[in-house]
Amino acid sequence: MASDITYHDGPAFSRIQDNSPADEEQPARQPPGPTRSQSEYERIGGRAGSSFIQTLIHLLKGNIGTGLLGLPLAVKNAGLVMGPLSLLVLGIVAIHCMRLLVKCSHHLSGKLGKPFLNYGEAVEYGMDNVSFLSRHSKFGRHMVNLFLIITQLGFCCVYFVFLSDNIRQVVEAANGTSWDCHSNDTTVMVPTFDSKIYMLIFLPFVILLVFTRSLRVLAPFSSIANLAMAGSLVLIYYYSITNISLPINLPAVGQPRDYPLFFGTAIFAFEGIGVVLPLENKMQHPEKFNKVLYMGMGVVTFLYISLGTIGYMCFGQDIRGSITLNLPNCWWYQIVKLLYSFGIFITYALQFYVPAEILVPLAVSRVSERFRLAVDLLIRVALVLFTCALAILIPELDLVISLVGSISSSALALILPPMLQIMTFHNEGMPCWVVLKNVFISLLGFVGFVAGTYISIVEIINRNKERAAGLHLQVM
């Protein structure tokens, strides 16, 4: 459930700040240097911002999306005991890395006399703080922006697959759908188009959606989408809890080969590290952000563990890439699929905003004024076509989620924040155990990055071969 607060790095974020005279004059009154205590969250040129509750809601919305629906399958890949325990550990590490990012950004912004830093700027100035890395500091900012682009476009690919799979299931069961929700066999499925055809059907509507360049226009639809997705989650929980069959005979530990798939899906779900700095920067009382972070991410981690565990216990080995695909084909749960699909459709435009606002200004700045609108729209169309093409090439929801999580989410959420703390505080008496801890977390993220990416790609290739073999047999 994303919101406009998620549009954080790149050129767009600078437009959000309040360029008041106080903001412009403050750096002159506060020369560069570590003049602020790190425990004192003083906002330079103070300005009105979000309240505690508003910030908490934004944090929740920034972390709850399609990744949550894929966690029951992730728990299956890790095992009924190992899965929840791993989610708990990963949640604790992810929250810790979010805290490190805020701490480093606050330290560097105070040292430089800047009101705030976004993720890319924090990495850039952190590298500036290390002599042999300072020449390549701009590469750090570009690298963060690249991972943000990969992550957000990856989300958009997932949304195409999610929409096609869920709407296709609703359409195939529409002729015989009833109000009987006690069995998954209440209807006779009538095959329709392939899911790839559904993606192409959605394509022109998605293109029209991303032509909306103002988030204010989307805000009412975003609020409705968030309510629809929240209501859908309540019904998903209700069905899963009330349909657990006893006794439960599921493996406590999954196959080692499948664990990297768990990692990719789980780290994809912890997608909200990019919203952390904007939220802290926009709070009325940023000294309270730690409470928001721990409270909000505590709720998020509980939802992840509970739905992942309950969903796997309910559907067992039959669990699919999104738990919505396991719901019975009765009208109550068909409505759930439609409501969540509507929420995902609107969220596509919100997630798309990040790569568009990074890439579009770079392109339009190189053309004359009369061609800027055309170039802007052309790039938007090209990016949507790119995400649709990738979704058509890899129409496997669980593997797309795992691949995106392994490639980019692991870098943003696990690898970079610990390294940023080392770069920021390396010359200020950092204890050895802190360095070792940070290196361990980054190595954990890197191993997950390599293993998760490799296994996801291998599984994608294998499934494509199986699908091709199946089509060949049908032709024969």
PDB file of all heavy atoms in Angstrom, residues 59 63 87-102 267 270 273 276 289-290 292-302 413-414 417 441:
ATOM      1  N   LEU A  59       4.339   4.797   7.099  1.00  0.00           N
ATOM      2  CA  LEU A  59       5.318   3.721   7.226  1.00  0.00           C
ATOM      3  C   LEU A  59       4.661   2.365   6.987  1.00  0.00           C
ATOM      4  O   LEU A  59       5.228   1.499   6.306  1.00  0.00           O
ATOM      5  CB  LEU A  59       5.972   3.759   8.607  1.00  0.00           C
ATOM      6  CG  LEU A  59       7.074   2.720   8.862  1.00  0.00           C
ATOM      7  CD1 LEU A  59       8.272   2.963   7.953  1.00  0.00           C
ATOM      8  CD2 LEU A  59       7.514   2.741  10.326  1.00  0.00           C
ATOM      9  N   ASN A  63       5.215  -0.395   3.554  1.00  0.00           N
ATOM     10  CA  ASN A  63       5.786  -1.733   3.747  1.00  0.00           C
ATOM     11  C   ASN A  63       4.813  -2.867   3.462  1.00  0.00           C
ATOM     12  O   ASN A  63       5.218  -4.028   3.467  1.00  0.00           O
ATOM     13  CB  ASN A  63       6.299  -1.888   5.192  1.00  0.00           C
ATOM     14  CG  ASN A  63       7.639  -1.244   5.410  1.00  0.00           C
ATOM     15  OD1 ASN A  63       8.688  -1.832   5.168  1.00  0.00           O
ATOM     16  ND2 ASN A  63       7.627   0.005   5.862  1.00  0.00           N
ATOM     17  N   LEU A  87      11.819 -15.121   9.381  1.00  0.00           N
ATOM     18  CA  LEU A  87      11.144 -13.839   9.185  1.00  0.00           C
ATOM     19  C   LEU A  87      11.375 -12.922  10.379  1.00  0.00           C
ATOM     20  O   LEU A  87      11.569 -11.707  10.210  1.00  0.00           O
ATOM     21  CB  LEU A  87       9.648 -14.053   8.970  1.00  0.00           C
ATOM     22  CG  LEU A  87       9.199 -14.486   7.572  1.00  0.00           C
ATOM     23  CD1 LEU A  87       7.708 -14.792   7.562  1.00  0.00           C
ATOM     24  CD2 LEU A  87       9.523 -13.404   6.549  1.00  0.00           C
ATOM     25  N   LEU A  88      11.341 -13.480  11.588  1.00  0.00           N
ATOM     26  CA  LEU A  88      11.584 -12.686  12.780  1.00  0.00           C
ATOM     27  C   LEU A  88      13.000 -12.119  12.779  1.00  0.00           C
ATOM     28  O   LEU A  88      13.207 -10.919  13.019  1.00  0.00           O
ATOM     29  CB  LEU A  88      11.361 -13.538  14.034  1.00  0.00           C
ATOM     30  CG  LEU A  88      11.635 -12.848  15.377  1.00  0.00           C
ATOM     31  CD1 LEU A  88      10.724 -11.635  15.564  1.00  0.00           C
ATOM     32  CD2 LEU A  88      11.476 -13.833  16.537  1.00  0.00           C
ATOM     33  N   VAL A  89      13.983 -12.971  12.489  1.00  0.00           N
ATOM     34  CA  VAL A  89      15.378 -12.516  12.446  1.00  0.00           C
ATOM     35  C   VAL A  89      15.570 -11.479  11.351  1.00  0.00           C
ATOM     36  O   VAL A  89      16.196 -10.422  11.567  1.00  0.00           O
ATOM     37  CB  VAL A  89      16.330 -13.709  12.240  1.00  0.00           C
ATOM     38  CG1 VAL A  89      17.757 -13.225  12.001  1.00  0.00           C
ATOM     39  CG2 VAL A  89      16.282 -14.648  13.443  1.00  0.00           C
ATOM     40  N   LEU A  90      15.024 -11.750  10.176  1.00  0.00           N
ATOM     41  CA  LEU A  90      15.166 -10.816   9.066  1.00  0.00           C
ATOM     42  C   LEU A  90      14.484  -9.489   9.375  1.00  0.00           C
ATOM     43  O   LEU A  90      14.985  -8.418   9.022  1.00  0.00           O
ATOM     44  CB  LEU A  90      14.585 -11.427   7.793  1.00  0.00           C
ATOM     45  CG  LEU A  90      14.945 -10.747   6.467  1.00  0.00           C
ATOM     46  CD1 LEU A  90      16.449 -10.704   6.269  1.00  0.00           C
ATOM     47  CD2 LEU A  90      14.279 -11.471   5.304  1.00  0.00           C
ATOM     48  N   GLY A  91      13.334  -9.558  10.071  1.00  0.00           N
ATOM     49  CA  GLY A  91      12.651  -8.331  10.467  1.00  0.00           C
ATOM     50  C   GLY A  91      13.479  -7.499  11.424  1.00  0.00           C
ATOM     51  O   GLY A  91      13.580  -6.269  11.279  1.00  0.00           O
ATOM     52  N   ILE A  92      14.097  -8.158  12.403  1.00  0.00           N
ATOM     53  CA  ILE A  92      14.948  -7.443  13.362  1.00  0.00           C
ATOM     54  C   ILE A  92      16.134  -6.795  12.651  1.00  0.00           C
ATOM     55  O   ILE A  92      16.472  -5.630  12.899  1.00  0.00           O
ATOM     56  CB  ILE A  92      15.428  -8.406  14.464  1.00  0.00           C
ATOM     57  CG1 ILE A  92      14.240  -8.856  15.325  1.00  0.00           C
ATOM     58  CG2 ILE A  92      16.495  -7.744  15.337  1.00  0.00           C
ATOM     59  CD1 ILE A  92      14.572  -9.956  16.313  1.00  0.00           C
ATOM     60  N   VAL A  93      16.758  -7.532  11.738  1.00  0.00           N
ATOM     61  CA  VAL A  93      17.910  -6.997  11.002  1.00  0.00           C
ATOM     62  C   VAL A  93      17.480  -5.836  10.110  1.00  0.00           C
ATOM     63  O   VAL A  93      18.171  -4.807  10.024  1.00  0.00           O
ATOM     64  CB  VAL A  93      18.584  -8.106  10.177  1.00  0.00           C
ATOM     65  CG1 VAL A  93      19.682  -7.522   9.279  1.00  0.00           C
ATOM     66  CG2 VAL A  93      19.169  -9.172  11.088  1.00  0.00           C
ATOM     67  N   ALA A  94      16.325  -5.981   9.432  1.00  0.00           N
ATOM     68  CA  ALA A  94      15.848  -4.919   8.543  1.00  0.00           C
ATOM     69  C   ALA A  94      15.541  -3.642   9.324  1.00  0.00           C
ATOM     70  O   ALA A  94      15.878  -2.535   8.884  1.00  0.00           O
ATOM     71  CB  ALA A  94      14.606  -5.388   7.779  1.00  0.00           C
ATOM     72  N   ILE A  95      14.921  -3.784  10.490  1.00  0.00           N
ATOM     73  CA  ILE A  95      14.629  -2.610  11.327  1.00  0.00           C
ATOM     74  C   ILE A  95      15.925  -1.959  11.792  1.00  0.00           C
ATOM     75  O   ILE A  95      16.055  -0.728  11.797  1.00  0.00           O
ATOM     76  CB  ILE A  95      13.763  -3.026  12.534  1.00  0.00           C
ATOM     77  CG1 ILE A  95      12.393  -3.515  12.065  1.00  0.00           C
ATOM     78  CG2 ILE A  95      13.593  -1.854  13.506  1.00  0.00           C
ATOM     79  CD1 ILE A  95      11.575  -4.166  13.160  1.00  0.00           C
ATOM     80  N   HIS A  96      16.888  -2.787  12.167  1.00  0.00           N
ATOM     81  CA  HIS A  96      18.191  -2.259  12.590  1.00  0.00           C
ATOM     82  C   HIS A  96      18.852  -1.478  11.455  1.00  0.00           C
ATOM     83  O   HIS A  96      19.413  -0.392  11.678  1.00  0.00           O
ATOM     84  CB  HIS A  96      19.078  -3.410  13.045  1.00  0.00           C
ATOM     85  CG  HIS A  96      20.464  -2.992  13.433  1.00  0.00           C
ATOM     86  ND1 HIS A  96      20.734  -2.192  14.529  1.00  0.00           N
ATOM     87  CD2 HIS A  96      21.676  -3.252  12.857  1.00  0.00           C
ATOM     88  CE1 HIS A  96      22.034  -1.979  14.619  1.00  0.00           C
ATOM     89  NE2 HIS A  96      22.630  -2.614  13.618  1.00  0.00           N
ATOM     90  N   CYS A  97      18.769  -2.005  10.231  1.00  0.00           N
ATOM     91  CA  CYS A  97      19.376  -1.311   9.089  1.00  0.00           C
ATOM     92  C   CYS A  97      18.652   0.000   8.791  1.00  0.00           C
ATOM     93  O   CYS A  97      19.290   0.994   8.403  1.00  0.00           O
ATOM     94  CB  CYS A  97      19.362  -2.218   7.864  1.00  0.00           C
ATOM     95  SG  CYS A  97      20.535  -3.600   7.960  1.00  0.00           S
ATOM     96  N   MET A  98      17.345   0.028   8.960  1.00  0.00           N
ATOM     97  CA  MET A  98      16.607   1.284   8.812  1.00  0.00           C
ATOM     98  C   MET A  98      17.082   2.314   9.830  1.00  0.00           C
ATOM     99  O   MET A  98      17.268   3.488   9.507  1.00  0.00           O
ATOM    100  CB  MET A  98      15.102   1.040   8.971  1.00  0.00           C
ATOM    101  CG  MET A  98      14.465   0.241   7.855  1.00  0.00           C
ATOM    102  SD  MET A  98      12.700  -0.054   8.174  1.00  0.00           S
ATOM    103  CE  MET A  98      12.268  -1.030   6.716  1.00  0.00           C
ATOM    104  N   ARG A  99      17.285   1.862  11.041  1.00  0.00           N
ATOM    105  CA  ARG A  99      17.767   2.762  12.098  1.00  0.00           C
ATOM    106  C   ARG A  99      19.165   3.277  11.762  1.00  0.00           C
ATOM    107  O   ARG A  99      19.476   4.458  11.985  1.00  0.00           O
ATOM    108  CB  ARG A  99      17.782   2.013  13.438  1.00  0.00           C
ATOM    109  CG  ARG A  99      18.287   2.815  14.600  1.00  0.00           C
ATOM    110  CD  ARG A  99      17.309   3.904  14.998  1.00  0.00           C
ATOM    111  NE  ARG A  99      17.901   4.780  16.004  1.00  0.00           N
ATOM    112  CZ  ARG A  99      18.552   5.899  15.751  1.00  0.00           C
ATOM    113  NH1 ARG A  99      18.687   6.306  14.491  1.00  0.00           N
ATOM    114  NH2 ARG A  99      19.044   6.638  16.724  1.00  0.00           N
ATOM    115  N   LEU A 100      20.029   2.417  11.233  1.00  0.00           N
ATOM    116  CA  LEU A 100      21.368   2.847  10.835  1.00  0.00           C
ATOM    117  C   LEU A 100      21.300   3.911   9.747  1.00  0.00           C
ATOM    118  O   LEU A 100      22.057   4.893   9.775  1.00  0.00           O
ATOM    119  CB  LEU A 100      22.188   1.650  10.329  1.00  0.00           C
ATOM    120  CG  LEU A 100      22.597   0.582  11.343  1.00  0.00           C
ATOM    121  CD1 LEU A 100      23.436  -0.488  10.663  1.00  0.00           C
ATOM    122  CD2 LEU A 100      23.346   1.192  12.506  1.00  0.00           C
ATOM    123  N   LEU A 101      20.419   3.728   8.787  1.00  0.00           N
ATOM    124  CA  LEU A 101      20.291   4.688   7.693  1.00  0.00           C
ATOM    125  C   LEU A 101      19.882   6.060   8.222  1.00  0.00           C
ATOM    126  O   LEU A 101      20.454   7.085   7.820  1.00  0.00           O
ATOM    127  CB  LEU A 101      19.270   4.179   6.676  1.00  0.00           C
ATOM    128  CG  LEU A 101      19.032   5.057   5.447  1.00  0.00           C
ATOM    129  CD1 LEU A 101      20.321   5.243   4.657  1.00  0.00           C
ATOM    130  CD2 LEU A 101      17.942   4.449   4.558  1.00  0.00           C
ATOM    131  N   VAL A 102      18.922   6.091   9.126  1.00  0.00           N
ATOM    132  CA  VAL A 102      18.483   7.367   9.709  1.00  0.00           C
ATOM    133  C   VAL A 102      19.615   8.005  10.504  1.00  0.00           C
ATOM    134  O   VAL A 102      19.874   9.216  10.395  1.00  0.00           O
ATOM    135  CB  VAL A 102      17.249   7.145  10.610  1.00  0.00           C
ATOM    136  CG1 VAL A 102      16.900   8.421  11.374  1.00  0.00           C
ATOM    137  CG2 VAL A 102      16.058   6.695   9.782  1.00  0.00           C
ATOM    138  N   ILE A 267      12.747 -10.596   1.718  1.00  0.00           N
ATOM    139  CA  ILE A 267      13.376  -9.273   1.658  1.00  0.00           C
ATOM    140  C   ILE A 267      12.616  -8.368   0.698  1.00  0.00           C
ATOM    141  O   ILE A 267      12.599  -7.142   0.850  1.00  0.00           O
ATOM    142  CB  ILE A 267      14.866  -9.398   1.260  1.00  0.00           C
ATOM    143  CG1 ILE A 267      15.624  -8.128   1.656  1.00  0.00           C
ATOM    144  CG2 ILE A 267      15.021  -9.694  -0.207  1.00  0.00           C
ATOM    145  CD1 ILE A 267      15.653  -7.852   3.125  1.00  0.00           C
ATOM    146  N   PHE A 270       9.977  -6.751   2.833  1.00  0.00           N
ATOM    147  CA  PHE A 270      10.498  -5.633   3.634  1.00  0.00           C
ATOM    148  C   PHE A 270      10.976  -4.538   2.682  1.00  0.00           C
ATOM    149  O   PHE A 270      12.152  -4.189   2.637  1.00  0.00           O
ATOM    150  CB  PHE A 270      11.645  -6.112   4.526  1.00  0.00           C
ATOM    151  CG  PHE A 270      11.194  -6.902   5.714  1.00  0.00           C
ATOM    152  CD1 PHE A 270      11.257  -8.285   5.697  1.00  0.00           C
ATOM    153  CD2 PHE A 270      10.703  -6.273   6.853  1.00  0.00           C
ATOM    154  CE1 PHE A 270      10.841  -9.033   6.793  1.00  0.00           C
ATOM    155  CE2 PHE A 270      10.281  -7.003   7.947  1.00  0.00           C
ATOM    156  CZ  PHE A 270      10.342  -8.383   7.918  1.00  0.00           C
ATOM    157  N   ILE A 273      12.439   0.395   3.138  1.00  0.00           N
ATOM    158  CA  ILE A 273      13.575   1.179   3.630  1.00  0.00           C
ATOM    159  C   ILE A 273      13.694   2.510   2.886  1.00  0.00           C
ATOM    160  O   ILE A 273      14.174   3.500   3.435  1.00  0.00           O
ATOM    161  CB  ILE A 273      14.895   0.381   3.516  1.00  0.00           C
ATOM    162  CG1 ILE A 273      15.998   1.098   4.308  1.00  0.00           C
ATOM    163  CG2 ILE A 273      15.284   0.171   2.055  1.00  0.00           C
ATOM    164  CD1 ILE A 273      17.226   0.255   4.541  1.00  0.00           C
ATOM    165  N   VAL A 276      11.969   5.537   4.661  1.00  0.00           N
ATOM    166  CA  VAL A 276      12.370   5.888   6.021  1.00  0.00           C
ATOM    167  C   VAL A 276      12.875   7.320   6.126  1.00  0.00           C
ATOM    168  O   VAL A 276      12.422   8.100   6.982  1.00  0.00           O
ATOM    169  CB  VAL A 276      13.426   4.879   6.536  1.00  0.00           C
ATOM    170  CG1 VAL A 276      14.068   5.383   7.818  1.00  0.00           C
ATOM    171  CG2 VAL A 276      12.788   3.523   6.769  1.00  0.00           C
ATOM    172  N   PHE A 289      10.850   9.764  15.904  1.00  0.00           N
ATOM    173  CA  PHE A 289      10.790   8.830  14.775  1.00  0.00           C
ATOM    174  C   PHE A 289      11.183   7.414  15.181  1.00  0.00           C
ATOM    175  O   PHE A 289      10.664   6.447  14.614  1.00  0.00           O
ATOM    176  CB  PHE A 289      11.680   9.303  13.623  1.00  0.00           C
ATOM    177  CG  PHE A 289      11.576   8.416  12.409  1.00  0.00           C
ATOM    178  CD1 PHE A 289      10.457   8.460  11.595  1.00  0.00           C
ATOM    179  CD2 PHE A 289      12.588   7.517  12.095  1.00  0.00           C
ATOM    180  CE1 PHE A 289      10.346   7.633  10.492  1.00  0.00           C
ATOM    181  CE2 PHE A 289      12.488   6.697  10.999  1.00  0.00           C
ATOM    182  CZ  PHE A 289      11.368   6.755  10.183  1.00  0.00           C
ATOM    183  N   ASN A 290      12.092   7.271  16.130  1.00  0.00           N
ATOM    184  CA  ASN A 290      12.464   5.920  16.563  1.00  0.00           C
ATOM    185  C   ASN A 290      11.252   5.141  17.064  1.00  0.00           C
ATOM    186  O   ASN A 290      11.098   3.944  16.786  1.00  0.00           O
ATOM    187  CB  ASN A 290      13.526   5.985  17.657  1.00  0.00           C
ATOM    188  CG  ASN A 290      14.907   6.278  17.095  1.00  0.00           C
ATOM    189  OD1 ASN A 290      15.120   6.213  15.895  1.00  0.00           O
ATOM    190  ND2 ASN A 290      15.843   6.635  17.961  1.00  0.00           N
ATOM    191  N   VAL A 292       8.143   5.640  16.117  1.00  0.00           N
ATOM    192  CA  VAL A 292       7.363   5.306  14.930  1.00  0.00           C
ATOM    193  C   VAL A 292       7.958   4.088  14.229  1.00  0.00           C
ATOM    194  O   VAL A 292       7.241   3.155  13.835  1.00  0.00           O
ATOM    195  CB  VAL A 292       7.318   6.503  13.957  1.00  0.00           C
ATOM    196  CG1 VAL A 292       6.655   6.106  12.642  1.00  0.00           C
ATOM    197  CG2 VAL A 292       6.567   7.675  14.578  1.00  0.00           C
ATOM    198  N   LEU A 293       9.283   4.100  14.076  1.00  0.00           N
ATOM    199  CA  LEU A 293       9.966   3.020  13.363  1.00  0.00           C
ATOM    200  C   LEU A 293       9.759   1.679  14.060  1.00  0.00           C
ATOM    201  O   LEU A 293       9.365   0.689  13.419  1.00  0.00           O
ATOM    202  CB  LEU A 293      11.455   3.337  13.244  1.00  0.00           C
ATOM    203  CG  LEU A 293      12.313   2.314  12.504  1.00  0.00           C
ATOM    204  CD1 LEU A 293      11.876   2.194  11.045  1.00  0.00           C
ATOM    205  CD2 LEU A 293      13.790   2.685  12.585  1.00  0.00           C
ATOM    206  N   TYR A 294      10.003   1.640  15.363  1.00  0.00           N
ATOM    207  CA  TYR A 294       9.881   0.370  16.082  1.00  0.00           C
ATOM    208  C   TYR A 294       8.435  -0.091  16.173  1.00  0.00           C
ATOM    209  O   TYR A 294       8.143  -1.288  16.019  1.00  0.00           O
ATOM    210  CB  TYR A 294      10.493   0.506  17.479  1.00  0.00           C
ATOM    211  CG  TYR A 294      11.982   0.749  17.453  1.00  0.00           C
ATOM    212  CD1 TYR A 294      12.564   1.715  18.270  1.00  0.00           C
ATOM    213  CD2 TYR A 294      12.811   0.023  16.611  1.00  0.00           C
ATOM    214  CE1 TYR A 294      13.935   1.953  18.244  1.00  0.00           C
ATOM    215  CE2 TYR A 294      14.180   0.251  16.576  1.00  0.00           C
ATOM    216  CZ  TYR A 294      14.736   1.216  17.396  1.00  0.00           C
ATOM    217  OH  TYR A 294      16.088   1.453  17.358  1.00  0.00           O
ATOM    218  N   MET A 295       7.517   0.836  16.388  1.00  0.00           N
ATOM    219  CA  MET A 295       6.105   0.463  16.482  1.00  0.00           C
ATOM    220  C   MET A 295       5.584  -0.008  15.127  1.00  0.00           C
ATOM    221  O   MET A 295       4.958  -1.066  15.019  1.00  0.00           O
ATOM    222  CB  MET A 295       5.270   1.645  16.977  1.00  0.00           C
ATOM    223  CG  MET A 295       3.791   1.325  17.180  1.00  0.00           C
ATOM    224  SD  MET A 295       2.832   2.786  17.695  1.00  0.00           S
ATOM    225  CE  MET A 295       3.675   3.184  19.231  1.00  0.00           C
ATOM    226  N   GLY A 296       5.836   0.796  14.083  1.00  0.00           N
ATOM    227  CA  GLY A 296       5.333   0.449  12.759  1.00  0.00           C
ATOM    228  C   GLY A 296       5.925  -0.827  12.223  1.00  0.00           C
ATOM    229  O   GLY A 296       5.196  -1.712  11.731  1.00  0.00           O
ATOM    230  N   MET A 297       7.240  -0.965  12.311  1.00  0.00           N
ATOM    231  CA  MET A 297       7.875  -2.169  11.783  1.00  0.00           C
ATOM    232  C   MET A 297       7.595  -3.384  12.653  1.00  0.00           C
ATOM    233  O   MET A 297       7.631  -4.519  12.173  1.00  0.00           O
ATOM    234  CB  MET A 297       9.376  -1.944  11.632  1.00  0.00           C
ATOM    235  CG  MET A 297       9.753  -0.922  10.560  1.00  0.00           C
ATOM    236  SD  MET A 297       8.999  -1.277   8.953  1.00  0.00           S
ATOM    237  CE  MET A 297       9.676  -2.888   8.581  1.00  0.00           C
ATOM    238  N   GLY A 298       7.315  -3.168  13.932  1.00  0.00           N
ATOM    239  CA  GLY A 298       6.871  -4.271  14.779  1.00  0.00           C
ATOM    240  C   GLY A 298       5.545  -4.831  14.293  1.00  0.00           C
ATOM    241  O   GLY A 298       5.354  -6.058  14.204  1.00  0.00           O
ATOM    242  N   VAL A 299       4.605  -3.927  13.943  1.00  0.00           N
ATOM    243  CA  VAL A 299       3.316  -4.361  13.396  1.00  0.00           C
ATOM    244  C   VAL A 299       3.514  -5.069  12.055  1.00  0.00           C
ATOM    245  O   VAL A 299       2.919  -6.125  11.797  1.00  0.00           O
ATOM    246  CB  VAL A 299       2.380  -3.147  13.226  1.00  0.00           C
ATOM    247  CG1 VAL A 299       1.112  -3.536  12.454  1.00  0.00           C
ATOM    248  CG2 VAL A 299       2.010  -2.557  14.580  1.00  0.00           C
ATOM    249  N   VAL A 300       4.352  -4.496  11.205  1.00  0.00           N
ATOM    250  CA  VAL A 300       4.611  -5.087   9.890  1.00  0.00           C
ATOM    251  C   VAL A 300       5.208  -6.486  10.030  1.00  0.00           C
ATOM    252  O   VAL A 300       4.762  -7.436   9.364  1.00  0.00           O
ATOM    253  CB  VAL A 300       5.559  -4.180   9.072  1.00  0.00           C
ATOM    254  CG1 VAL A 300       6.072  -4.902   7.828  1.00  0.00           C
ATOM    255  CG2 VAL A 300       4.845  -2.897   8.665  1.00  0.00           C
ATOM    256  N   THR A 301       6.197  -6.627  10.896  1.00  0.00           N
ATOM    257  CA  THR A 301       6.826  -7.934  11.101  1.00  0.00           C
ATOM    258  C   THR A 301       5.821  -8.950  11.632  1.00  0.00           C
ATOM    259  O   THR A 301       5.808 -10.114  11.216  1.00  0.00           O
ATOM    260  CB  THR A 301       8.015  -7.814  12.060  1.00  0.00           C
ATOM    261  OG1 THR A 301       8.952  -6.844  11.553  1.00  0.00           O
ATOM    262  CG2 THR A 301       8.734  -9.147  12.222  1.00  0.00           C
ATOM    263  N   PHE A 302       4.943  -8.513  12.556  1.00  0.00           N
ATOM    264  CA  PHE A 302       3.896  -9.412  13.071  1.00  0.00           C
ATOM    265  C   PHE A 302       2.964  -9.862  11.951  1.00  0.00           C
ATOM    266  O   PHE A 302       2.611 -11.047  11.858  1.00  0.00           O
ATOM    267  CB  PHE A 302       3.098  -8.703  14.165  1.00  0.00           C
ATOM    268  CG  PHE A 302       1.865  -9.465  14.590  1.00  0.00           C
ATOM    269  CD1 PHE A 302       1.975 -10.563  15.432  1.00  0.00           C
ATOM    270  CD2 PHE A 302       0.610  -9.095  14.125  1.00  0.00           C
ATOM    271  CE1 PHE A 302       0.844 -11.277  15.808  1.00  0.00           C
ATOM    272  CE2 PHE A 302      -0.521  -9.793  14.494  1.00  0.00           C
ATOM    273  CZ  PHE A 302      -0.411 -10.890  15.348  1.00  0.00           C
ATOM    274  N   ALA A 413      18.247  -2.814   1.496  1.00  0.00           N
ATOM    275  CA  ALA A 413      17.798  -3.048   2.868  1.00  0.00           C
ATOM    276  C   ALA A 413      18.862  -3.640   3.770  1.00  0.00           C
ATOM    277  O   ALA A 413      18.839  -3.416   4.989  1.00  0.00           O
ATOM    278  CB  ALA A 413      16.566  -3.968   2.862  1.00  0.00           C
ATOM    279  N   LEU A 414      19.817  -4.413   3.218  1.00  0.00           N
ATOM    280  CA  LEU A 414      20.772  -5.136   4.070  1.00  0.00           C
ATOM    281  C   LEU A 414      22.229  -4.778   3.804  1.00  0.00           C
ATOM    282  O   LEU A 414      23.017  -4.663   4.749  1.00  0.00           O
ATOM    283  CB  LEU A 414      20.589  -6.648   3.894  1.00  0.00           C
ATOM    284  CG  LEU A 414      19.250  -7.249   4.333  1.00  0.00           C
ATOM    285  CD1 LEU A 414      19.271  -8.765   4.131  1.00  0.00           C
ATOM    286  CD2 LEU A 414      18.950  -6.922   5.784  1.00  0.00           C
ATOM    287  N   PRO A 417      23.160  -0.135   4.156  1.00  0.00           N
ATOM    288  CA  PRO A 417      23.132   0.597   5.432  1.00  0.00           C
ATOM    289  C   PRO A 417      24.282   0.274   6.385  1.00  0.00           C
ATOM    290  O   PRO A 417      24.886   1.204   6.949  1.00  0.00           O
ATOM    291  CB  PRO A 417      21.767   0.214   6.027  1.00  0.00           C
ATOM    292  CG  PRO A 417      20.922  -0.085   4.841  1.00  0.00           C
ATOM    293  CD  PRO A 417      21.843  -0.749   3.868  1.00  0.00           C
ATOM    294  N   ILE A 441      26.314  -8.430   8.615  1.00  0.00           N
ATOM    295  CA  ILE A 441      25.008  -8.151   8.020  1.00  0.00           C
ATOM    296  C   ILE A 441      25.141  -7.946   6.514  1.00  0.00           C
ATOM    297  O   ILE A 441      24.344  -8.467   5.723  1.00  0.00           O
ATOM    298  CB  ILE A 441      24.361  -6.916   8.679  1.00  0.00           C
ATOM    299  CG1 ILE A 441      24.012  -7.209  10.146  1.00  0.00           C
ATOM    300  CG2 ILE A 441      23.098  -6.495   7.921  1.00  0.00           C
ATOM    301  CD1 ILE A 441      23.485  -6.004  10.904  1.00  0.00           C
TER     302      ILE A 441
END
